[in-house]
Amino acid sequence: MKSRLSYFIFNKRLDYERGHLENLRYDERGITVDDVYTDERGRFLSRVLDSYQTDMSWHRLCFDVNGNAAGVYKLTVYAANALQFERDGRFYRIDELVRSSEYSFDEKIDLLEPYIQKQIVGLQDVLLHEVAGRYLWIVLEMYSQGNEETSISNITIYLPSRSWLEYLPAIYQRADLEGGFLDRYLGIFQTLYEDLNLKNRNVADFFDADCSGREFLQWLSEWLDISDSYLWPEDKLRRLLSRSVELYLERGTKKSFEDIVEIYTGAKPYIVESFQLEKFKGREEYETTLLPMYGDNPLCFTVLVKEECVKTVQEINILIKIIEEMKPVQMELKLVVLKPYIFLSQYSFLGINSVLGQYRDM
């Protein structure tokens, strides 16, 4: 091809805030209609993109949809060779107009109407071969769909225009000048090819727990013999995978249990192994307190976690399953959730789940 593809991408809060958001909010998933319980629309007017080339022929626009892929989207593409224009005797700059708080969204759309070059409804991936101009900006409209939140992210605009028609004999190129059918038809396979090439160039990202998508986290987990990865919230699974080599080398040890439980609960647990109690044998407290609490099974170990770390029965069951998966087969697990109360001869530990209060005269 004549030149390598370049692109602009909107994937950070600042990318959206440099434009104009109306009834849209931004979070880590992208931009979402503010109130999903109404039929109101949300609109995004982007900042002005500069290709630094007059009459630039743009190539392609695509974006990701998280949630209801069958949502309603309307995309309007604008392009111009100059930023300044005159309307009703007044001069405007397009980039300043986009950022201005003096005009409403509708007023901005009205002023920019002469620069509309393409409008698309319901498509997430479109060719922009007929869009020409040094500067380009877009308006994206989203409509809420019932109670399901839908967000849009990674709005990507490629340039310059590239077509597989360039590889065909001139007779085919001349024949397609009027209707452009062959260009659009080849564009289907061209975009598939470009996306595949992009994935190949960025294949290292799929092996990085901090960059990989959720579906590839599951795949990485299988590589690392983490069979219960579906139980882990995404942020905690990323932390687990990033430390997987370290944890694998320590697998089956007390430290590995401490680290895994800390990753899942956010706090280091207390682990009691049976051999730690042998020095208390023969004492009264061993028979009256330690034996009822921890038992005398030499293959049993007790994991104690604070109640605020596992707040529901489901979280407790998940934690048990995670530890069961990691422990040696012959070992027996006992999980204890420390309640913030004092029970004599029970799991009450000063400074952990109980404290001494100050005496006050009634």
Side-chain angles (χ1 to χ4, degrees), residues 4 12 23 48 59 67 79 82 103 166 213 254 263 271 312 321:
R4 185 174 181 178
K12 303 186 296 296
N23 198 30
V48 177
H59 178 51
Y103 301 92
E166 299 174 20
K254 177 180 178 181
I263 291 173
I271 297 179
T312 65
K321 185 171 178 60

Side-chain angles (χ1 to χ4, degrees), residues 56-87:
M56 166 62 70
S57 180
W58 298 76
H59 178 51
R60 178 186 170 202
L61 184 149
C62 57
F63 53 85
D64 297 333
V65 178
N66 309 300
N68 183 11
V72 179
Y73 323 103
K74 180 180 178 182
L75 180 69
T76 305
V77 181
Y78 302 77
N81 277 321
L83 289 178
Q84 189 166 314
F85 68 96
E86 184 266 338
R87 179 86 175 265

Side-chain angles (χ1 to χ4, degrees), residues 8 47-53 58 83 134-136 159:
F8 295 95
R47 63 183 174 91
V48 177
L49 308 178
D50 188 356
S51 69
Y52 296 99
Q53 180 179 321
W58 298 76
L83 289 178
R134 171 176 172 173
Y135 303 100
L136 181 141
L159 71 158

Side-chain angles (χ1 to χ4, degrees), residues 33 35-39 68 143-150:
V33 178
D35 187 357
V36 299
Y37 300 103
T38 72
D39 294 327
N68 183 11
Y143 296 85
S144 58
Q145 298 290 302
N147 294 339
E148 183 177 357
E149 279 196 350
T150 303

Side-chain angles (χ1 to χ4, degrees), residues 29-261:
R29 298 176 61 203
I31 50 175
T32 309
V33 178
D34 243 343
D35 187 357
V36 299
Y37 300 103
T38 72
D39 294 327
E40 292 186 22
R41 66 181 176 182
R43 294 188 291 182
F44 166 58
L45 171 60
S46 77
R47 63 183 174 91
V48 177
L49 308 178
D50 188 356
S51 69
Y52 296 99
Q53 180 179 321
T54 302
D55 291 323
M56 166 62 70
S57 180
W58 298 76
H59 178 51
R60 178 186 170 202
L61 184 149
C62 57
F63 53 85
D64 297 333
V65 178
N66 309 300
N68 183 11
V72 179
Y73 323 103
K74 180 180 178 182
L75 180 69
T76 305
V77 181
Y78 302 77
N81 277 321
L83 289 178
Q84 189 166 314
F85 68 96
E86 184 266 338
R87 179 86 175 265
D88 297 330
R90 182 172 180 180
F91 288 92
Y92 302 87
R93 274 186 62 94
I94 296 172
D95 52 348
E96 295 175 355
L97 178 63
V98 168
R99 297 190 302 266
S100 175
S101 58
E102 180 182 348
Y103 301 92
S104 69
F105 204 103
D106 288 327
E107 289 172 332
K108 293 179 182 181
I109 296 299
D110 180 62
L111 288 169
L112 296 172
E113 185 178 6
Y115 298 100
I116 294 176
Q117 295 211 17
K118 192 178 184 71
Q119 289 187 308
I120 310 102
V121 176
L123 296 179
Q124 300 168 222
D125 195 335
V126 295
L127 290 176
L128 303 177
H129 291 180
E130 68 274 31
V131 175
R134 171 176 172 173
Y135 303 100
L136 181 141
W137 63 100
I138 65 170
V139 169
L140 179 64
E141 298 183 28
M142 300 171 55
Y143 296 85
S144 58
Q145 298 290 302
N147 294 339
E148 183 177 357
E149 279 196 350
T150 303
S151 60
I152 287 177
S153 61
N154 297 328
I155 302 174
T156 309
I157 301 171
Y158 295 90
L159 71 158
S161 174
R162 304 168 92 185
S163 173
W164 278 5
L165 278 175
E166 299 174 20
Y167 288 116
L168 299 181
I171 187 172
Y172 293 102
Q173 299 180 33
R174 290 196 300 268
D176 200 54
L177 286 177
E178 184 176 345
F181 169 77
L182 185 57
D183 184 29
R184 296 194 302 273
Y185 180 73
L186 291 176
I188 298 172
F189 306 98
Q190 181 180 350
T191 53
L192 292 173
Y193 175 80
E194 289 170 351
D195 288 346
L196 184 60
N197 266 349
L198 182 62
K199 288 182 179 179
N200 287 337
R201 287 198 300 269
N202 300 322
V203 68
D205 291 345
F206 297 114
F207 301 97
D208 187 338
D210 294 327
C211 301
S212 179
R214 174 72 192 191
E215 66 276 13
F216 284 98
L217 288 180
Q218 304 292 337
W219 177 63
L220 281 175
S221 300
E222 293 177 6
W223 274 39
L224 298 169
D225 196 27
I226 303 174
S227 59
D228 54 1
S229 60
Y230 64 93
L231 298 173
W232 290 76
E234 183 174 331
D235 58 333
K236 295 178 180 178
L237 181 58
R238 291 186 189 278
R239 290 179 55 202
L240 177 67
L241 290 173
S242 65
R243 298 184 56 188
S244 57
V245 175
E246 169 195 344
L247 294 172
Y248 190 83
L249 294 174
E250 301 171 343
R251 187 165 184 169
T253 66
K254 177 180 178 181
K255 187 177 186 309
S256 72
F257 293 136
E258 289 178 343
D259 291 342
I260 290 170
V261 174

